[in-house]
Amino acid sequence: MLLSIALILIIGMSLGWLCKKIKLPSLVGMILTGILLGPSVLKLIDPSILDISSELRRIALIIILTRAGLTLKWSDLKKVGRPAILMCFVPAAFEIVGMIIFAPLILNVSVIEAAIIGAVVAAVSPAVIVPKMIKLIDEGYGKDHSIPQLILAGASVDDVFVIVLFTAFLGLGQGKEVSILSFVNIPISIVLGILIGFLIGFLLAKFFAKVHMRDTVKVIIILSIAFILNSIEDKLTTVITFSALIAIMFMGIAMQQYHKEASTRLSLKFNKLWVGAEIILFVLVGATIDLKFVSTTALPAILLILLVLCFRIIGVFICLICTKLTFKEKVFCMISYIPKATVQAAIGGIPLSLGLECGNIVLTVAVMAILITAPLGAFLIDLTYKKFLNRVSLENSNE
């Protein structure tokens, strides 16, 4: 296991650095590392690591979402308003509709199977988007119209919406009845996640203000609470649940609101943690890729993904109608909603493991979506943000 971890970190970091040198996103190198070291090629990743791959990826996601919360300001989120709410579900819904229309024609699957594929593919990737938007906030780009905050809020809730739909469609695919309460739970889980996270963040801010301790200890406390929240969500068997990932992000937002000095220092700590977590996340995403499945239906899957991306872009555009955003800013928002990786890696193999006929196809499309959209979206964000967004100096942004 130790050799596997060493190879993941060293080769992942090296190929990531090499990709940056040739103007490609570093995550491309990390995904390629996972493919190279994974079961499809060299088989150098210890099976025990692959067995806990989903948990390790979730830890990486928790780290970056906590970092995002510590960076976001509650006032900026309130300023975003209606477009942020629409971005939480409209683009994903459009993409699922596109998949239901085109997947039966291109992949010869049923409507229910197309809906399952759509739910897997429709989730945007916080692991790609969040670091990019944090960078924009730190550099002052898009500050005047709170564009990074708009994209962060929408991308975080988008995953909750899509995962609930995936569970419902999966039940239909297995011949089960789907309760209407499953869909009612979407807004409830989001609201409960916000309230729980904000309350915990408020209490932590007051506690850290009164009790002196090292920032490293604070990081351990925050991570422990985040892990507990995730475990509680997993253990809940009630119809009404809460979103742990949203709670984690709003825990950071509350700390930013009530203890800004500490949250700024903690944000830097989590930024350092992300250096290692990012490598592990994307290398393990690459390791989930089975090249045998990819090679059989690669071309139809690529065509399908590009078609439904058009639906997604239209959905983003509709969300931004009647806003103060310029045309270039709207185009940037459309680009920012392209990347997919985390959710696809987490749930893409579930239909196959349950024995559904469409399992191989779902996994192949999920893999191709990661390989195409994650590097493409990250590359386009890096290429366009300085050209399409206004920059506000850090001095003015702090006034």
Side-chain angles (χ1 to χ4, degrees):
M1 180 185 285
L2 293 179
L3 176 61
S4 297
I5 294 171
L7 291 173
I8 287 170
L9 293 174
I10 293 170
I11 299 176
M13 191 163 47
S14 301
L15 288 186
W17 174 83
L18 187 62
C19 284
K20 286 188 77 172
K21 282 294 181 182
I22 59 175
K23 306 299 181 183
L24 285 173
S26 59
L27 66 89
V28 175
M30 296 170 195
I31 292 173
L32 290 175
T33 301
I35 296 172
L36 182 66
L37 298 179
S40 294
V41 185
L42 298 178
K43 301 178 182 177
L44 291 177
I45 297 179
D46 193 288
S48 60
I49 293 178
L50 295 175
D51 289 341
I52 59 169
S53 174
S54 61
E55 285 79 9
L56 292 174
R57 294 198 303 269
R58 187 182 296 192
I59 290 171
L61 190 58
I62 286 170
I63 289 170
I64 196 57
L65 284 176
T66 307
R67 166 82 165 94
L70 292 167
T71 306
L72 283 170
K73 295 181 180 177
W74 180 248
S75 57
D76 288 337
L77 281 178
K78 287 195 295 184
K79 190 165 71 173
V80 171
R82 177 187 62 85
I85 296 172
L86 293 176
M87 293 276 275
C88 295
F89 64 91
V90 172
F94 267 65
E95 193 164 6
I96 292 170
V97 169
M99 189 67 75
I100 290 171
I101 294 171
F102 288 106
L105 299 175
I106 296 173
L107 298 177
N108 194 29
V109 295
S110 68
V111 172
I112 292 298
E113 290 171 338
I116 293 171
I117 298 169
V120 171
V121 172
V124 75
S125 175
V128 178
I129 290 177
V130 171
K132 299 292 182 186
M133 294 306 111
I134 289 174
K135 180 182 177 183
L136 265 61
I137 292 171
D138 291 342
E139 294 181 8
Y141 283 96
K143 169 72 179 178
D144 48 352
H145 290 150
S146 300
I147 291 171
Q149 291 83 353
L150 164 66
I151 295 167
L152 276 174
S156 302
V157 180
D158 168 280
D159 288 358
V160 179
F161 172 70
V162 167
I163 289 170
V164 172
L165 288 182
F166 170 73
T167 304
F169 294 146
L170 199 62
L172 290 173
Q174 294 176 294
K176 298 178 183 176
E177 292 185 4
V178 177
S179 169
I180 192 68
L181 287 175
S182 303
F183 296 96
V184 173
N185 184 47
I186 296 175
I188 294 174
S189 65
I190 292 168
V191 172
L192 283 176
I194 292 171
L195 293 175
I196 291 169
F198 208 86
L199 176 61
I200 293 172
F202 169 78
L203 294 174
L204 282 175
K206 297 301 181 184
F207 176 70
F208 291 155
K210 290 185 177 180
V211 180
H212 177 73
M213 63 183 72
R214 295 176 61 184
D215 287 337
T216 304
V217 177
K218 294 175 185 175
V219 168
I220 293 171
I221 291 172
I222 292 169
L223 283 177
S224 298
I225 292 172
F227 295 161
I228 291 169
L229 287 171
N230 263 276
S231 299
I232 291 172
E233 183 189 20
D234 290 342
K235 296 293 183 184
L236 282 177
T237 55
T238 56
V239 176
I240 302 302
T241 59
F242 74 100
S243 169
L245 293 180
I246 292 177
I248 289 163
M249 191 171 76
F250 272 84
M251 185 167 62
I253 291 171
M255 290 189 61
Q256 161 71 224
Q257 176 80 7
Y258 295 105
H259 199 342
K260 187 174 181 180
E261 182 183 345
S263 66
T264 302
R265 296 197 309 272
L266 290 172
S267 178
L268 295 174
K269 291 280 188 182
F270 275 96
N271 207 29
K272 292 175 182 177
L273 281 176
W274 175 243
V275 173
E278 180 185 31
I279 298 169
I280 292 171
L281 173 63
F282 287 110
V283 170
L284 291 178
V285 166
T288 64
I289 295 171
D290 190 328
L291 295 180
K292 292 179 183 177
F293 293 139
V294 171
S295 61
T296 55
T297 55
L299 290 178
I302 291 170
L303 174 62
L304 184 62
I305 290 162
L306 294 176
L307 281 171
V308 298
L309 269 181
C310 296
F311 278 74
R312 185 174 195 83
I313 289 170
I314 293 169
V316 175
F317 179 77
I318 289 172
C319 296
L320 303 176
I321 292 174
C322 298
T323 63
K324 294 180 180 179
L325 272 63
T326 65
F327 178 73
K328 285 185 177 181
E329 289 172 335
K330 290 177 181 177
V331 171
F332 179 79
C333 291
M334 296 176 199
I335 289 169
S336 298
Y337 250 50
I338 288 176
K340 304 165 188 299
T342 323
V343 173
Q344 287 72 27
I347 67 176
I350 291 177
L352 181 63
S353 67
L354 294 175
L356 268 67
E357 284 187 26
C358 63
N360 285 336
I361 296 175
V362 174
L363 183 59
T364 300
V365 176
V367 167
M368 295 309 300
I370 294 169
L371 290 176
I372 294 168
T373 64
L376 176 64
F379 173 73
L380 291 176
I381 290 170
D382 288 340
L383 182 69
T384 59
Y385 78 94
K386 290 183 179 178
K387 300 174 184 176
F388 288 5
L389 303 180
N390 294 325
R391 187 180 189 185
V392 178
S393 67
L394 295 179
E395 291 80 7
N396 292 336
S397 66
N398 290 328
E399 287 179 359

Short mmCIF file of all heavy atoms in Angstrom, two decimals, residues 58-72 126-127 130 134 152 155-156 159 244-246 248-253 270 274:
data_model
loop_
_atom_site.label_atom_id
_atom_site.label_comp_id
_atom_site.label_asym_id
_atom_site.label_seq_id
_atom_site.Cartn_x
_atom_site.Cartn_y
_atom_site.Cartn_z
N ARG A 58 -14.09 11.08 -1.38
CA ARG A 58 -15.01 11.92 -0.60
C ARG A 58 -14.26 12.83 0.36
O ARG A 58 -14.63 13.99 0.56
CB ARG A 58 -16.00 11.04 0.18
CG ARG A 58 -17.08 11.86 0.87
CD ARG A 58 -18.03 11.01 1.68
NE ARG A 58 -18.79 10.09 0.86
CZ ARG A 58 -19.85 9.41 1.32
NH1 ARG A 58 -20.23 9.56 2.58
NH2 ARG A 58 -20.49 8.58 0.54
N ILE A 59 -13.19 12.33 0.96
CA ILE A 59 -12.37 13.16 1.85
C ILE A 59 -11.80 14.35 1.09
O ILE A 59 -11.81 15.49 1.57
CB ILE A 59 -11.23 12.33 2.48
CG1 ILE A 59 -11.80 11.32 3.49
CG2 ILE A 59 -10.21 13.24 3.17
CD1 ILE A 59 -10.78 10.31 3.99
N ALA A 60 -11.31 14.09 -0.14
CA ALA A 60 -10.77 15.18 -0.96
C ALA A 60 -11.86 16.20 -1.26
O ALA A 60 -11.61 17.43 -1.23
CB ALA A 60 -10.20 14.62 -2.25
N LEU A 61 -13.07 15.74 -1.54
CA LEU A 61 -14.18 16.65 -1.84
C LEU A 61 -14.55 17.47 -0.61
O LEU A 61 -14.83 18.67 -0.71
CB LEU A 61 -15.38 15.83 -2.32
CG LEU A 61 -16.57 16.62 -2.89
CD1 LEU A 61 -16.13 17.47 -4.07
CD2 LEU A 61 -17.68 15.66 -3.30
N ILE A 62 -14.52 16.84 0.57
CA ILE A 62 -14.80 17.56 1.82
C ILE A 62 -13.79 18.69 2.03
O ILE A 62 -14.15 19.81 2.41
CB ILE A 62 -14.79 16.58 3.01
CG1 ILE A 62 -16.05 15.71 2.99
CG2 ILE A 62 -14.68 17.33 4.34
CD1 ILE A 62 -16.02 14.56 3.98
N ILE A 63 -12.52 18.40 1.76
CA ILE A 63 -11.47 19.40 1.95
C ILE A 63 -11.71 20.62 1.07
O ILE A 63 -11.65 21.77 1.53
CB ILE A 63 -10.08 18.78 1.66
CG1 ILE A 63 -9.70 17.81 2.78
CG2 ILE A 63 -9.00 19.87 1.53
CD1 ILE A 63 -8.47 16.97 2.48
N ILE A 64 -12.02 20.40 -0.21
CA ILE A 64 -12.17 21.54 -1.11
C ILE A 64 -13.48 22.29 -0.87
O ILE A 64 -13.55 23.51 -1.03
CB ILE A 64 -12.03 21.10 -2.59
CG1 ILE A 64 -11.79 22.32 -3.48
CG2 ILE A 64 -13.23 20.30 -3.06
CD1 ILE A 64 -10.59 23.15 -3.13
N LEU A 65 -14.54 21.60 -0.45
CA LEU A 65 -15.79 22.29 -0.14
C LEU A 65 -15.67 23.12 1.14
O LEU A 65 -16.25 24.20 1.25
CB LEU A 65 -16.94 21.29 -0.01
CG LEU A 65 -17.49 20.72 -1.33
CD1 LEU A 65 -18.55 19.67 -1.06
CD2 LEU A 65 -18.07 21.83 -2.21
N THR A 66 -14.91 22.62 2.11
CA THR A 66 -14.65 23.40 3.32
C THR A 66 -13.85 24.65 2.97
O THR A 66 -14.15 25.75 3.45
CB THR A 66 -13.86 22.56 4.36
OG1 THR A 66 -14.55 21.34 4.59
CG2 THR A 66 -13.73 23.32 5.67
N ARG A 67 -12.86 24.47 2.13
CA ARG A 67 -12.06 25.61 1.66
C ARG A 67 -12.94 26.63 0.94
O ARG A 67 -12.79 27.84 1.13
CB ARG A 67 -10.96 25.10 0.71
CG ARG A 67 -10.26 26.16 -0.11
CD ARG A 67 -9.17 26.85 0.67
NE ARG A 67 -8.29 27.61 -0.21
CZ ARG A 67 -8.42 28.89 -0.51
NH1 ARG A 67 -9.42 29.58 -0.04
NH2 ARG A 67 -7.55 29.49 -1.31
N ALA A 68 -13.89 26.15 0.14
CA ALA A 68 -14.79 27.05 -0.57
C ALA A 68 -15.65 27.85 0.41
O ALA A 68 -15.82 29.07 0.26
CB ALA A 68 -15.69 26.25 -1.51
N GLY A 69 -16.19 27.16 1.42
CA GLY A 69 -17.02 27.85 2.41
C GLY A 69 -16.27 28.91 3.17
O GLY A 69 -16.79 30.00 3.42
N LEU A 70 -15.02 28.63 3.52
CA LEU A 70 -14.21 29.60 4.26
C LEU A 70 -13.85 30.81 3.41
O LEU A 70 -13.44 31.85 3.93
CB LEU A 70 -12.93 28.92 4.77
CG LEU A 70 -13.12 27.86 5.87
CD1 LEU A 70 -11.85 27.05 6.05
CD2 LEU A 70 -13.52 28.53 7.19
N THR A 71 -14.00 30.70 2.09
CA THR A 71 -13.68 31.79 1.18
C THR A 71 -14.91 32.63 0.84
O THR A 71 -14.81 33.83 0.59
CB THR A 71 -13.08 31.22 -0.13
OG1 THR A 71 -11.96 30.39 0.20
CG2 THR A 71 -12.60 32.33 -1.05
N LEU A 72 -16.09 31.98 0.83
CA LEU A 72 -17.31 32.67 0.43
C LEU A 72 -17.83 33.60 1.52
O LEU A 72 -17.75 33.30 2.70
CB LEU A 72 -18.40 31.64 0.11
CG LEU A 72 -18.29 30.93 -1.24
CD1 LEU A 72 -19.29 29.77 -1.30
CD2 LEU A 72 -18.56 31.89 -2.38
N PRO A 126 -17.65 19.62 -8.50
CA PRO A 126 -17.10 20.59 -7.54
C PRO A 126 -15.58 20.50 -7.43
O PRO A 126 -14.90 21.50 -7.22
CB PRO A 126 -17.76 20.19 -6.21
CG PRO A 126 -18.93 19.37 -6.57
CD PRO A 126 -18.59 18.69 -7.86
N ALA A 127 -15.04 19.29 -7.60
CA ALA A 127 -13.59 19.11 -7.45
C ALA A 127 -12.81 19.87 -8.51
O ALA A 127 -11.67 20.27 -8.29
CB ALA A 127 -13.24 17.63 -7.52
N VAL A 130 -14.59 24.17 -7.94
CA VAL A 130 -14.34 24.91 -6.70
C VAL A 130 -12.94 25.52 -6.63
O VAL A 130 -12.79 26.70 -6.34
CB VAL A 130 -14.62 24.02 -5.46
CG1 VAL A 130 -14.16 24.70 -4.18
CG2 VAL A 130 -16.12 23.71 -5.36
N ILE A 134 -12.29 29.57 -6.45
CA ILE A 134 -11.55 30.13 -5.31
C ILE A 134 -10.39 30.98 -5.81
O ILE A 134 -10.11 32.07 -5.29
CB ILE A 134 -11.05 29.00 -4.38
CG1 ILE A 134 -12.22 28.35 -3.64
CG2 ILE A 134 -10.03 29.55 -3.37
CD1 ILE A 134 -11.83 27.15 -2.83
N LEU A 152 -20.15 28.72 -7.71
CA LEU A 152 -19.91 27.85 -6.55
C LEU A 152 -21.22 27.37 -5.93
O LEU A 152 -21.38 26.18 -5.62
CB LEU A 152 -19.09 28.60 -5.50
CG LEU A 152 -17.57 28.62 -5.68
CD1 LEU A 152 -16.94 29.52 -4.63
CD2 LEU A 152 -16.99 27.23 -5.59
N ALA A 155 -23.10 24.94 -8.39
CA ALA A 155 -22.42 23.66 -8.57
C ALA A 155 -22.54 22.77 -7.33
O ALA A 155 -22.62 21.54 -7.45
CB ALA A 155 -20.95 23.89 -8.90
N SER A 156 -22.57 23.37 -6.16
CA SER A 156 -22.64 22.59 -4.91
C SER A 156 -24.00 21.93 -4.74
O SER A 156 -24.10 20.77 -4.31
CB SER A 156 -22.33 23.49 -3.71
OG SER A 156 -21.06 24.07 -3.84
N ASP A 159 -25.29 18.87 -7.48
CA ASP A 159 -24.99 17.46 -7.23
C ASP A 159 -26.07 16.78 -6.40
O ASP A 159 -26.40 15.61 -6.64
CB ASP A 159 -23.64 17.32 -6.51
CG ASP A 159 -22.47 17.64 -7.44
OD1 ASP A 159 -22.71 17.91 -8.62
OD2 ASP A 159 -21.32 17.63 -6.98
N ALA A 244 -25.12 16.57 3.46
CA ALA A 244 -23.91 16.79 4.26
C ALA A 244 -22.92 17.71 3.55
O ALA A 244 -22.28 18.54 4.19
CB ALA A 244 -23.26 15.45 4.58
N LEU A 245 -22.80 17.56 2.23
CA LEU A 245 -21.84 18.39 1.50
C LEU A 245 -22.21 19.87 1.55
O LEU A 245 -21.35 20.74 1.69
CB LEU A 245 -21.74 17.92 0.04
CG LEU A 245 -21.12 16.53 -0.17
CD1 LEU A 245 -21.09 16.18 -1.65
CD2 LEU A 245 -19.72 16.45 0.43
N ILE A 246 -23.50 20.15 1.44
CA ILE A 246 -23.95 21.55 1.56
C ILE A 246 -23.73 22.05 2.98
O ILE A 246 -23.33 23.19 3.20
CB ILE A 246 -25.43 21.69 1.13
CG1 ILE A 246 -25.55 21.43 -0.38
CG2 ILE A 246 -25.98 23.06 1.49
CD1 ILE A 246 -26.94 21.46 -0.90
N ILE A 248 -21.43 21.12 5.01
CA ILE A 248 -19.99 21.36 5.18
C ILE A 248 -19.59 22.71 4.60
O ILE A 248 -18.83 23.47 5.21
CB ILE A 248 -19.19 20.21 4.52
CG1 ILE A 248 -19.35 18.93 5.35
CG2 ILE A 248 -17.71 20.58 4.40
CD1 ILE A 248 -18.97 17.68 4.60
N MET A 249 -20.10 23.03 3.41
CA MET A 249 -19.74 24.31 2.80
C MET A 249 -20.30 25.48 3.62
O MET A 249 -19.61 26.47 3.83
CB MET A 249 -20.25 24.39 1.36
CG MET A 249 -19.66 25.58 0.61
SD MET A 249 -20.01 25.58 -1.15
CE MET A 249 -21.71 26.10 -1.17
N PHE A 250 -21.53 25.35 4.10
CA PHE A 250 -22.13 26.46 4.86
C PHE A 250 -21.55 26.56 6.26
O PHE A 250 -21.64 27.63 6.89
CB PHE A 250 -23.66 26.31 4.88
CG PHE A 250 -24.31 26.98 3.70
CD1 PHE A 250 -24.42 26.32 2.49
CD2 PHE A 250 -24.77 28.28 3.79
CE1 PHE A 250 -24.99 26.93 1.39
CE2 PHE A 250 -25.34 28.90 2.71
CZ PHE A 250 -25.45 28.24 1.50
N MET A 251 -20.95 25.49 6.76
CA MET A 251 -20.21 25.58 8.01
C MET A 251 -19.05 26.57 7.83
O MET A 251 -18.80 27.42 8.69
CB MET A 251 -19.68 24.19 8.37
CG MET A 251 -18.99 24.09 9.71
SD MET A 251 -18.74 22.35 10.19
CE MET A 251 -17.68 21.75 8.88
N GLY A 252 -18.37 26.49 6.70
CA GLY A 252 -17.29 27.43 6.40
C GLY A 252 -17.79 28.84 6.18
O GLY A 252 -17.16 29.82 6.61
N ILE A 253 -18.94 28.97 5.50
CA ILE A 253 -19.52 30.30 5.24
C ILE A 253 -19.86 31.00 6.55
O ILE A 253 -19.61 32.20 6.72
CB ILE A 253 -20.77 30.17 4.34
CG1 ILE A 253 -20.35 29.72 2.93
CG2 ILE A 253 -21.54 31.50 4.28
CD1 ILE A 253 -21.51 29.36 2.02
N PHE A 270 -6.35 24.76 4.60
CA PHE A 270 -7.06 23.81 3.74
C PHE A 270 -6.53 23.87 2.31
O PHE A 270 -6.58 22.87 1.60
CB PHE A 270 -8.56 24.10 3.78
CG PHE A 270 -9.27 23.45 4.93
CD1 PHE A 270 -9.51 24.15 6.10
CD2 PHE A 270 -9.68 22.13 4.87
CE1 PHE A 270 -10.14 23.56 7.18
CE2 PHE A 270 -10.31 21.52 5.94
CZ PHE A 270 -10.55 22.23 7.10
N TRP A 274 -5.25 20.64 0.17
CA TRP A 274 -5.79 20.35 -1.16
C TRP A 274 -4.69 19.92 -2.14
O TRP A 274 -4.95 19.17 -3.08
CB TRP A 274 -6.55 21.55 -1.69
CG TRP A 274 -7.04 21.38 -3.10
CD1 TRP A 274 -6.69 22.10 -4.21
CD2 TRP A 274 -8.00 20.41 -3.57
NE1 TRP A 274 -7.34 21.65 -5.33
CE2 TRP A 274 -8.15 20.63 -4.97
CE3 TRP A 274 -8.71 19.39 -2.95
CZ2 TRP A 274 -9.01 19.85 -5.74
CZ3 TRP A 274 -9.58 18.62 -3.73
CH2 TRP A 274 -9.71 18.85 -5.11
#
